């Protein structure tokens, strides 16, 4: 695997979670991405490819999950590239799209439009962790809008498993979605 010659770390925007989720929602709606939709064609439309993050059965401690060579040329590395529509892989891809959408322009502003960007799989520094939080918030908004989530939540009477299945979201993240989109109209299970 080759790396960009002029690669830099992502820089966080510094926005709050709800604002980043709204950016994610807007990015999905502007591309007509509906809840549960496959993200593989979007990756290709953005100029990216999907690759394998795994080295054997583990992710190497220094592995990068996103390698941006330049705008419209990047490699999104996930654990199970053979099944990118699995809910866990969709969440990973949505996070990587978040890094691409949120952070690449900052790298370009600081280092020029030919600069590349590397996003590590394991965030270690404060800056990396802040970028990771922003990418997670983006993924939440990108994968399902607040309105769509609340509609499914109420229709399924708060059944996290049913909502996860309906929206192709990992069940382990449903509580985070519910908390992010908390409202008096949410019905408890």
């Amino acid at each position: 695997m080759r790396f960009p010659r002029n690669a830099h770390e992502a820089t966080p925007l510094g926005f709050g979670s709800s604002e980043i989720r709204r950016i994610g929602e807007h990015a999905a709606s502007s591309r007509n991405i509906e809840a549960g939709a496959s993200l593989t064609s979007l990756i290709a439309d953005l100029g990216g490819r999907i690759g394998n993050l795994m080295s054997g059965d583990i992710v190497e401690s220094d592995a990068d999950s996103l390698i941006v060579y330049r705008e419209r040329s990047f490699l999104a590395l996930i654990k199970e590239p053979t099944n990118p529509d699995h809910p866990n892989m969709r969440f990973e891809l949505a996070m990587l799209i978040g890094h691409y959408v949120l952070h690449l322009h900052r790298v370009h502003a600081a280092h020029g439009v030919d600069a590349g960007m590397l996003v590590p799989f394991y965030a270690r520094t404060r800056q990396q962790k802040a970028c990771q939080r922003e990418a997670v918030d983006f993924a939440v908004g990108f994968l399902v809008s607040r309105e769509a989530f609340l509609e499914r939540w109420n229709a399924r009477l708060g059944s996290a498993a049913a909502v996860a299945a309906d929206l192709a979201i990992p069940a382990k993240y449903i509580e985070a979605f519910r908390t992010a989109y908390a409202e008096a109209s949410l019905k408890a299970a």
Side-chain angles (χ1 to χ4, degrees), residues 98-115:
H99 282 297
Y100 185 80
V101 168
L102 297 171
H103 303 130
L104 183 59
H105 77 279
R106 298 211 28 151
V107 168
H108 285 173
H111 304 285
V113 294
D114 291 333

Side-chain angles (χ1 to χ4, degrees), residues 71-124:
E71 191 167 348
R72 302 203 43 77
S73 178
F74 65 93
L75 182 59
L77 298 167
I78 60 174
K79 292 183 211 167
E80 296 179 39
T82 57
N83 189 9
D85 292 329
H86 184 280
N88 288 327
M89 296 306 98
R90 286 183 71 252
F91 197 84
E92 279 191 40
L93 286 173
M95 285 176 49
L96 296 176
I97 291 167
H99 282 297
Y100 185 80
V101 168
L102 297 171
H103 303 130
L104 183 59
H105 77 279
R106 298 211 28 151
V107 168
H108 285 173
H111 304 285
V113 294
D114 291 333
M117 181 174 74
L118 296 174
V119 176
F121 183 77
Y122 296 109
R124 290 190 170 81

Side-chain angles (χ1 to χ4, degrees), residues 50-177:
I50 298 172
N52 189 355
L53 179 66
M54 302 297 282
S55 173
D57 293 336
I58 61 167
V59 176
E60 298 291 333
S61 63
D62 62 346
D64 291 308
S65 58
L66 181 65
I67 302 168
V68 179
Y69 300 99
R70 62 188 173 285
E71 191 167 348
R72 302 203 43 77
S73 178
F74 65 93
L75 182 59
L77 298 167
I78 60 174
K79 292 183 211 167
E80 296 179 39
T82 57
N83 189 9
D85 292 329
H86 184 280
N88 288 327
M89 296 306 98
R90 286 183 71 252
F91 197 84
E92 279 191 40
L93 286 173
M95 285 176 49
L96 296 176
I97 291 167
H99 282 297
Y100 185 80
V101 168
L102 297 171
H103 303 130
L104 183 59
H105 77 279
R106 298 211 28 151
V107 168
H108 285 173
H111 304 285
V113 294
D114 291 333
M117 181 174 74
L118 296 174
V119 176
F121 183 77
Y122 296 109
R124 290 190 170 81
T125 67
R126 254 184 21 207
Q127 178 172 312
Q128 291 169 349
K129 289 175 183 177
C131 286
Q132 190 80 353
R133 277 190 301 277
E134 289 179 350
V136 167
D137 289 333
F138 178 94
V140 168
F142 188 79
L143 289 174
V144 61
S145 70
R146 182 174 190 266
E147 292 76 25
F149 182 82
L150 293 174
E151 178 185 304
R152 285 284 76 206
W153 182 266
N154 290 326
R156 292 301 199 151
L157 302 175
S159 168
V163 172
D166 288 351
L167 300 174
I169 296 170
K172 64 185 177 186
Y173 295 125
I174 290 296
E175 181 59 26
F177 277 79

Side-chain angles (χ1 to χ4, degrees), residues 30-49:
S30 69
R31 292 226 174 231
N32 297 316
I33 305 293
E34 296 191 14
S38 174
L39 301 180
T40 54
S41 61
L42 175 60
I43 294 285
D45 289 348
L46 292 172
R49 294 176 296 128

